[in-house]
Amino acid sequence: RCRTGPLDIVFVIDSSRSVRPFEFEIMRRFMIDIIGSLDVGPNATRVGVIQYSSQVQNIFSLKTFFTRADMEKAINSIVPLAQGTMTGLAIQYAMNVAFTVQEGARPPHKKIPRIAIIVTDGRPQDRVTEVSTQARNAGIEIYAVGIQRADMSSLRAMASPPLEEHVFLVESFELIQQFGKQFQDKLCGVDLCMEQDHGCQHSCVSTPGSFYCECNPGYRLNADGKTCSPIDVCADGRHGCQHQCVNTRGSYLCRCRVGYYLNQDKRSCTMIDYCSFGNHSCQHECVSIPNGHYCRCRSGFTLQPDSRSCRATDLCNGVDHGCEFKCVSTEGSYRCVCPEGQQLQADGKACSKCGAGHVDLVMVIDGSKSVRPQNFELVKQFVNRIVDLLEVSPHGTRVGLVQYSSRVRTEFPLNKYHSADEIKKAVMEVEYMEKGTMTGLALKHMVEHSFSELEGARPLSHNVPRIGLVFTDGRSQDDISEWARRAKESGIVMFAVGVGKAVEEELRAIASEPVEQHFSYSADFTTMTHLVENFKLNICPEEGKGETELRSPCECEALVQFQTNTMAILQSLTEKNILWVSLARSLAQMTARLEDLEKQIANKK
């Protein structure tokens, strides 16, 4: 057998219609005989087979089989294509696919010879000269074997030099097997690893006319090309150990940190579950850690000093519950409640928004230099607090925003956004203008543009209230009286909000009647939160009705409950015909007194 391997050999077999069935069987025998003389295996000679006619078919690649028996079985299973003779296409496929590393060819630096054996019986129907040159330049050694009707000029165009060693013409298919015995000698030569003292420390690999040394797994070849040194696998970072890598001679092993054990893959680690031992005594939850465990309580409970038992906590006092009106603690949790006449919203925290009436609201904010960037961010937060009060929708409340300094800019009109979340996002993206304070110019812009139907205001015939909210922190550099008057005359309900150095006279000129209900002032940007509630009481009809909302709910509820209980007792006494006249009179006087107290409390509020 051929002892000089390894080689990468690909048979390129012509299965055109001119090759008769019994002739194709002879070609099968030719390939099987050649393979039978080779030392095949993953580290020895690798073999692949493709057949071609008008198309190319991969029978098996260089990485598919590593035993002669498997290769012989696959060759005997080939079904000829029986079409044209596209030899150039087959050589192109061998170069671009069959001899790639992905298909099993050894990398070029290994210097493993790549050999293509082309067997054909006719003239190619496509060009072979150019593609054969490309294949040879890519390092493929081509043997061209022509049978019977083969074209000698085409064989010479395909084969590698010297042509006398790579071009063969066989007179008939019957003679190809005899030729195969001669061809084997071309592939085999002297095994230098066997014939001389190669000096390889571990193993010697023969190549045609030469040899090279290889090291065992876990070792690398030294610069002398013969001796080997252990590889520090842990140092190259490719060991795959999750925690620690420990070098052994020529190999390595993985180890886990304290509190972990090594999994079956011998690389990854899993923390020891100390809680599973069943001796933790935790009332609620046990949490494992690398060196033991600790106890944890469920949400709404606090771990006691014994580090095991839990007690319910008053979450209303211990967490930022976010309730808009009132927080009520429950077992391990809490709930939010709203004042009488208001409903809790879907978020479980906010109370009824301003939804009784829908409005077109345009907010005009001061972006002048005196506001300063950090305060402008507070202004945007103030605007979004107001948006939170509203039921925003295309058919409900619409919101527009205008910023002004020395000029006026519509940030977004009334018909731009249709949800509170969209508006709040757009508000936070507004950029600070930082120049003068032309409040009069801003009012003019609001009247002429912001409340136009073009920018989303609903027609006056729809009777949707139009509300303008002007926010400023200083004296205007132009006259405001003319356009403040026109705004109110056009039916816009004007609110004025001032901060810091805002001028009260200007705020009153902007505000609608009654002025006291339509203008607000805060001495500082950081303390203007209360202005939101004032705006809510004035803009929302249901928030401003009566005096009940201004009372202390606890005090009012206690009086009403006491009065209800008293009337129930009186009714019970009447039904039983117990004529305790003096008691009834006293109770009646008490009831009257309670009513007087209730009125006095309301008047004080």
Side-chain angles (χ1 to χ4, degrees):
R1 287 182 181 164
C2 186
R3 296 180 298 164
T4 61
L7 305 169
D8 286 343
I9 300 177
V10 174
F11 289 93
V12 183
I13 303 301
D14 182 354
S15 65
S16 59
R17 65 173 63 91
S18 63
V19 180
R20 287 167 287 185
F22 79 91
E23 294 174 338
F24 194 82
E25 294 304 317
I26 295 173
M27 280 203 292
R28 290 189 208 267
R29 193 72 256 163
F30 166 72
M31 288 188 287
I32 292 172
D33 288 345
I34 295 294
I35 293 171
S37 68
L38 302 173
D39 181 19
V40 299
N43 297 318
T45 294
R46 300 182 182 182
V47 179
V49 176
I50 62 176
Q51 68 165 335
Y52 73 93
S53 60
S54 297
Q55 57 183 323
V56 180
Q57 182 184 38
N58 181 45
I59 305 303
F60 59 86
S61 64
L62 292 168
K63 66 180 181 180
T64 306
F65 302 122
F66 297 112
T67 66
R68 283 181 290 275
D70 289 336
M71 295 177 186
E72 182 175 348
K73 182 178 179 181
I75 290 172
N76 286 328
S77 300
I78 299 175
V79 177
L81 298 172
Q83 296 174 354
T85 311
M86 304 295 285
T87 310
L89 181 65
I91 297 173
Q92 185 82 42
Y93 180 89
M95 177 177 62
N96 293 344
V97 180
F99 281 109
T100 62
V101 175
Q102 291 80 3
E103 289 297 307
R106 263 71 64 95
H109 72 270
K110 289 282 190 180
K111 298 181 179 179
I112 307 296
R114 295 181 174 184
I115 299 174
I117 302 174
I118 303 173
V119 183
T120 180
D121 81 324
R123 182 187 298 273
Q125 295 175 339
D126 58 354
R127 296 182 179 179
V128 297
T129 302
E130 182 178 350
V131 69
S132 298
T133 302
Q134 293 174 356
R136 294 193 298 269
N137 292 339
I140 301 174
E141 185 178 0
I142 301 177
Y143 287 87
V145 181
I147 303 174
Q148 210 165 288
R149 298 171 294 275
D151 177 56
M152 177 58 76
S153 62
S154 298
L155 297 177
R156 295 173 65 85
M158 291 186 285
S160 296
L163 297 180
E164 60 271 15
E165 295 184 10
H166 292 83
V167 177
F168 304 93
L169 184 61
V170 183
E171 293 180 0
S172 67
F173 278 91
E174 289 79 1
L175 296 176
I176 193 172
Q177 284 182 280
Q178 181 179 353
F179 159 75
K181 294 182 176 63
Q182 301 172 1
F183 186 73
Q184 291 169 11
D185 295 335
K186 296 291 182 181
L187 299 178
C188 300
V190 177
D191 186 349
L192 294 181
C193 286
M194 301 292 292
E195 298 294 331
Q196 68 181 49
D197 182 14
H198 52 74
C200 296
Q201 182 179 354
H202 285 182
S203 60
C204 175
V205 179
S206 290
T207 61
S210 184
F211 69 92
Y212 64 89
C213 298
E214 277 192 348
C215 296
N216 295 334
Y219 292 80
R220 64 164 56 91
L221 194 66
N222 294 327
D224 60 8
K226 296 182 181 293
T227 59
C228 302
S229 299
I231 298 174
D232 185 356
V233 182
C234 295
D236 67 12
R238 293 180 293 176
H239 49 77
C241 296
Q242 183 178 355
H243 284 182
Q244 301 169 354
C245 176
V246 180
N247 278 298
T248 60
R249 186 167 183 81
S251 186
Y252 69 96
L253 58 87
C254 297
R255 183 182 297 164
C256 296
R257 295 193 296 268
V258 176
Y260 293 79
Y261 62 86
L262 194 66
N263 294 324
Q264 291 184 352
D265 61 6
K266 302 301 181 183
R267 285 176 171 79
S268 61
C269 301
T270 299
M271 188 174 67
I272 299 172
D273 186 4
Y274 290 95
C275 293
S276 65
F277 299 164
N279 60 349
H280 52 76
S281 302
C282 296
Q283 182 180 353
H284 284 184
E285 300 173 2
C286 175
V287 180
S288 288
I289 54 177
N291 58 351
H293 73 279
Y294 68 90
C295 296
R296 182 172 61 192
C297 296
R298 293 191 297 270
S299 178
F301 291 81
T302 303
L303 191 66
Q304 297 304 292
D306 61 5
S307 298
R308 288 179 171 80
S309 58
C310 302
R311 186 177 65 187
T313 55
D314 183 0
L315 294 181
C316 288
N317 292 329
V319 299
D320 183 13
H321 51 75
C323 295
E324 181 179 332
F325 177 69
K326 184 178 180 181
C327 175
V328 177
S329 290
T330 59
E331 179 71 16
S333 185
Y334 67 90
R335 61 185 176 87
C336 299
V337 298
C338 291
E340 183 180 356
Q342 295 189 33
Q343 293 183 346
L344 198 64
Q345 297 299 290
D347 62 2
K349 299 179 183 296
C351 296
S352 298
K353 294 184 178 180
C354 181
H358 298 133
V359 299
D360 287 344
L361 170 63
V362 174
M363 288 181 272
V364 182
I365 59 174
D366 187 348
S368 61
K369 187 175 182 179
S370 61
V371 174
R372 293 183 296 187
Q374 64 271 29
N375 289 332
F376 191 73
E377 293 303 313
L378 295 176
V379 173
K380 292 195 289 188
Q381 294 176 20
F382 171 80
V383 169
N384 281 344
R385 290 286 299 274
I386 292 176
V387 174
D388 283 333
L389 303 176
L390 310 171
E391 293 289 353
V392 178
S393 69
H395 302 292
T397 292
R398 299 181 183 179
V399 179
L401 182 65
V402 173
Q403 183 186 177
Y404 74 95
S405 59
S406 297
R407 56 190 178 90
V408 184
R409 181 174 71 205
T410 296
E411 300 296 351
F412 52 84
L414 289 165
N415 56 2
K416 176 72 172 179
Y417 300 112
H418 306 305
S419 72
D421 288 340
E422 290 178 316
I423 292 173
K424 290 167 67 176
K425 180 182 178 182
V427 169
M428 296 312 296
E429 293 174 354
V430 169
E431 295 184 358
Y432 178 36
M433 296 175 73
E434 194 176 1
K435 287 188 179 179
T437 311
M438 304 294 284
T439 311
L441 185 63
L443 291 171
K444 181 178 184 293
H445 180 90
M446 180 192 71
V447 173
E448 293 183 340
H449 301 286
S450 300
F451 282 106
S452 65
E453 293 182 28
L454 182 64
E455 294 200 5
R458 284 160 284 196
L460 293 173
S461 59
H462 288 190
N463 294 321
V464 176
R466 296 181 173 183
I467 296 178
L469 172 62
V470 179
F471 182 96
T472 181
D473 84 320
R475 183 182 295 276
S476 176
Q477 294 174 343
D478 60 352
D479 181 60
I480 66 166
S481 58
E482 173 67 19
W483 287 102
R485 178 180 58 78
R486 288 197 187 188
K488 289 177 279 191
E489 288 177 352
S490 65
I492 303 173
V493 178
M494 296 297 296
F495 287 83
V497 177
V499 177
K501 296 181 180 180
V503 180
E504 181 178 350
E505 179 184 353
E506 291 185 355
L507 298 175
R508 289 180 172 274
I510 294 171
S512 295
E513 295 290 342
V515 173
E516 300 299 333
Q517 293 183 11
H518 292 82
F519 97 94
S520 304
Y521 174 80
S522 177
D524 187 78
F525 283 90
T526 59
T527 60
M528 63 183 181
T529 308
H530 69 280
L531 302 181
V532 177
E533 189 62 27
N534 291 344
F535 184 77
K536 179 180 180 182
L537 292 172
N538 287 298
I539 194 175
C540 301
E542 73 276 19
E543 300 292 345
K545 288 182 179 178
E547 298 178 351
T548 304
E549 298 298 333
L550 300 178
R551 300 176 183 174
S552 170
C554 296
E555 187 176 31
C556 180
E557 289 174 5
L559 290 172
V560 171
Q561 185 62 46
F562 185 82
Q563 185 178 22
T564 302
N565 293 341
T566 302
M567 294 304 296
I569 294 172
L570 285 173
Q571 182 65 29
S572 175
L573 291 175
T574 303
E575 290 175 355
K576 294 181 179 180
N577 295 318
I578 301 175
L579 302 177
W580 294 357
V581 177
S582 59
L583 178 59
R585 184 181 296 114
S586 298
L587 289 173
Q589 292 174 351
M590 186 181 299
T591 299
R593 180 57 178 164
L594 286 171
E595 292 177 350
D596 290 340
L597 287 172
E598 183 180 1
K599 292 178 180 179
Q600 292 176 17
I601 291 171
N603 291 333
K604 290 180 180 179
K605 294 291 185 179

